[in-house]
PDB file of all heavy atoms in Angstrom:
ATOM      1  N   ALA A1669     -42.478 -14.547   6.562  1.00 98.00           N
ATOM      2  CA  ALA A1669     -41.705 -13.352   6.442  1.00 98.00           C
ATOM      3  C   ALA A1669     -42.384 -12.205   7.209  1.00 98.00           C
ATOM      4  O   ALA A1669     -41.616 -11.293   7.799  1.00 98.00           O
ATOM      5  CB  ALA A1669     -41.510 -12.925   5.063  1.00 98.00           C
ATOM      6  N   THR A1717     -25.273 -31.062  -1.948  1.00 98.00           N
ATOM      7  CA  THR A1717     -26.310 -30.068  -2.493  1.00 98.00           C
ATOM      8  C   THR A1717     -27.657 -30.775  -2.124  1.00 98.00           C
ATOM      9  O   THR A1717     -27.908 -31.947  -2.544  1.00 98.00           O
ATOM     10  CB  THR A1717     -26.111 -29.964  -3.964  1.00 98.00           C
ATOM     11  OG1 THR A1717     -24.953 -29.300  -4.297  1.00 98.00           O
ATOM     12  CG2 THR A1717     -27.273 -29.128  -4.577  1.00 98.00           C
ATOM     13  N   VAL A1719     -31.982 -30.399  -2.430  1.00 98.00           N
ATOM     14  CA  VAL A1719     -33.200 -29.800  -3.045  1.00 98.00           C
ATOM     15  C   VAL A1719     -34.373 -30.175  -2.052  1.00 98.00           C
ATOM     16  O   VAL A1719     -34.671 -31.310  -1.913  1.00 98.00           O
ATOM     17  CB  VAL A1719     -33.384 -30.470  -4.558  1.00 98.00           C
ATOM     18  CG1 VAL A1719     -34.607 -29.748  -5.098  1.00 98.00           C
ATOM     19  CG2 VAL A1719     -32.234 -30.252  -5.333  1.00 98.00           C
ATOM     20  N   ARG A1747     -30.802 -37.873   5.542  1.00 98.00           N
ATOM     21  CA  ARG A1747     -30.055 -37.864   6.739  1.00 98.00           C
ATOM     22  C   ARG A1747     -28.639 -38.479   6.505  1.00 98.00           C
ATOM     23  O   ARG A1747     -28.523 -39.456   5.811  1.00 98.00           O
ATOM     24  CB  ARG A1747     -30.724 -38.672   7.925  1.00 98.00           C
ATOM     25  CG  ARG A1747     -32.070 -38.102   8.250  1.00 98.00           C
ATOM     26  CD  ARG A1747     -32.059 -37.121   9.233  1.00 98.00           C
ATOM     27  NE  ARG A1747     -31.527 -37.591  10.614  1.00 98.00           N
ATOM     28  CZ  ARG A1747     -31.536 -36.800  11.702  1.00 98.00           C
ATOM     29  NH1 ARG A1747     -32.116 -35.662  11.691  1.00 98.00           N
ATOM     30  NH2 ARG A1747     -31.043 -37.290  12.764  1.00 98.00           N
ATOM     31  N   ALA A1779     -24.268 -19.191  -8.233  1.00 98.00           N
ATOM     32  CA  ALA A1779     -25.087 -18.620  -9.361  1.00 98.00           C
ATOM     33  C   ALA A1779     -25.989 -19.575 -10.010  1.00 98.00           C
ATOM     34  O   ALA A1779     -25.647 -20.883  -9.906  1.00 98.00           O
ATOM     35  CB  ALA A1779     -24.196 -17.968 -10.482  1.00 98.00           C
ATOM     36  N   ALA A1890     -15.636 -10.825  -3.408  1.00 97.00           N
ATOM     37  CA  ALA A1890     -17.152 -10.346  -3.712  1.00 97.00           C
ATOM     38  C   ALA A1890     -17.407 -10.908  -5.143  1.00 97.00           C
ATOM     39  O   ALA A1890     -16.696 -10.913  -6.035  1.00 97.00           O
ATOM     40  CB  ALA A1890     -17.194  -8.791  -3.771  1.00 97.00           C
ATOM     41  N   PRO A1892     -19.047 -10.588  -8.716  1.00 98.00           N
ATOM     42  CA  PRO A1892     -19.243  -9.345  -9.623  1.00 98.00           C
ATOM     43  C   PRO A1892     -20.736  -8.975  -9.706  1.00 98.00           C
ATOM     44  O   PRO A1892     -21.603  -9.776  -9.419  1.00 98.00           O
ATOM     45  CB  PRO A1892     -18.691  -9.864 -10.961  1.00 98.00           C
ATOM     46  CG  PRO A1892     -17.879 -11.099 -10.634  1.00 98.00           C
ATOM     47  CD  PRO A1892     -18.570 -11.651  -9.533  1.00 98.00           C
ATOM     48  N   GLY A1912     -11.972  -7.873   4.497  1.00 91.00           N
ATOM     49  CA  GLY A1912     -13.230  -7.520   4.994  1.00 91.00           C
ATOM     50  C   GLY A1912     -13.966  -8.867   5.330  1.00 91.00           C
ATOM     51  O   GLY A1912     -15.037  -8.806   5.880  1.00 91.00           O
ATOM     52  N   LEU A1972      -0.831 -23.804  20.000  1.00 85.00           N
ATOM     53  CA  LEU A1972      -2.225 -24.310  20.465  1.00 85.00           C
ATOM     54  C   LEU A1972      -2.965 -23.122  21.100  1.00 85.00           C
ATOM     55  O   LEU A1972      -4.250 -22.910  20.884  1.00 85.00           O
ATOM     56  CB  LEU A1972      -2.094 -25.359  21.497  1.00 85.00           C
ATOM     57  CG  LEU A1972      -1.468 -26.722  20.987  1.00 85.00           C
ATOM     58  CD1 LEU A1972      -1.350 -27.735  22.102  1.00 85.00           C
ATOM     59  CD2 LEU A1972      -2.309 -27.326  19.849  1.00 85.00           C
TER      60      LEU A1972
END
Side-chain angles (χ1 to χ4, degrees):
T1717 295
V1719 181
R1747 302 273 298 189
L1972 296 176

